[in-house]
Amino acid sequence: GKSVFVHPNTADDIVRALAAGADVIADTTPRTLWTDEIVTRARVNGAALIPTLTLWQQTAGPAVAQLRAWREADADVLFGTDYGAVDADPSPEYGFMARGGMNARAILASLTTEPAARFGSPFRDGRLAAGRFADITVLYADPIQSPSGFERVALTISGGNVIYRDPTF
């Protein structure tokens, strides 16, 4: 009854994890090639990918291609950076995700509605509406115009409390 996350090292790890029913694949594996079987099984199983592309800056091409294949299979993507292994600034991840075929709406969904649908409750669905719980982030720029719009946060509200306010906002 709990979600199962796997942190694979190879494409074979992903194949075995999906065959065993894993729900979330945390990381691409750019040092090994992905077959069509991986992304097809992921879509059929309803598995999600947290691509963590920033981890692979030196080998970003294959990692970005793996995200693109995952998206083309219409499988779910959740946002994540593997913070601790990479810098706290998520900005590079947005750019890599855009290179992997994700427009701003898809990136926004990976940050909001996709994880809410997978892990949330009926009142925590990643949408703003009366009677819903909401954590709100206010951006300086429109990410629909460019994914770099996600990079400058003006204000963050969580549980009704301001937890971050840019001093210039």
Side-chain angles (χ1 to χ4, degrees):
K2 301 288 183 185
S3 295
V4 175
F5 286 66
V6 295
H7 200 270
N9 291 307
T10 67
D12 288 340
D13 291 347
I14 296 173
V15 169
R16 285 191 298 276
L18 291 171
D23 300 295
V24 179
I25 306 299
D27 293 345
T28 51
T29 60
R31 294 185 186 109
T32 61
L33 296 175
W34 285 11
T35 63
D36 289 340
E37 174 191 3
I38 288 175
V39 293
T40 300
R41 186 180 292 249
R43 182 183 43 75
V44 169
N45 288 14
L49 173 68
I50 303 173
T52 61
L53 301 167
T54 308
L55 279 175
W56 313 112
Q57 290 190 43
Q58 304 305 317
T59 55
V64 166
Q66 289 171 345
L67 171 59
R68 184 174 298 279
W70 194 274
R71 293 280 301 151
E72 287 172 356
D74 200 30
D76 295 340
V77 176
L78 306 173
F79 186 85
T81 62
D82 216 347
Y83 175 65
V86 299
D87 187 59
D89 180 5
S91 300
E93 192 73 15
Y94 304 133
F96 285 123
M97 292 173 90
R99 285 178 44 203
M102 295 182 72
N103 63 26
R105 289 187 191 281
I107 295 169
L108 182 60
S110 79
L111 289 157
T112 58
T113 55
E114 292 290 340
R118 188 170 288 272
F119 308 116
S121 73
F123 298 102
R124 294 184 185 269
D125 63 1
R127 301 176 198 287
L128 291 176
R132 302 274 194 236
F133 291 95
D135 293 334
I136 302 168
T137 299
V138 178
L139 305 171
Y140 280 106
D142 182 356
I144 301 303
Q145 300 301 316
S146 169
S148 66
F150 288 113
E151 296 174 14
R152 290 210 49 233
V153 175
L155 179 73
T156 304
I157 301 169
S158 180
N161 299 305
V162 174
I163 61 169
Y164 173 79
R165 179 188 305 268
D166 182 8
T168 63
F169 182 69

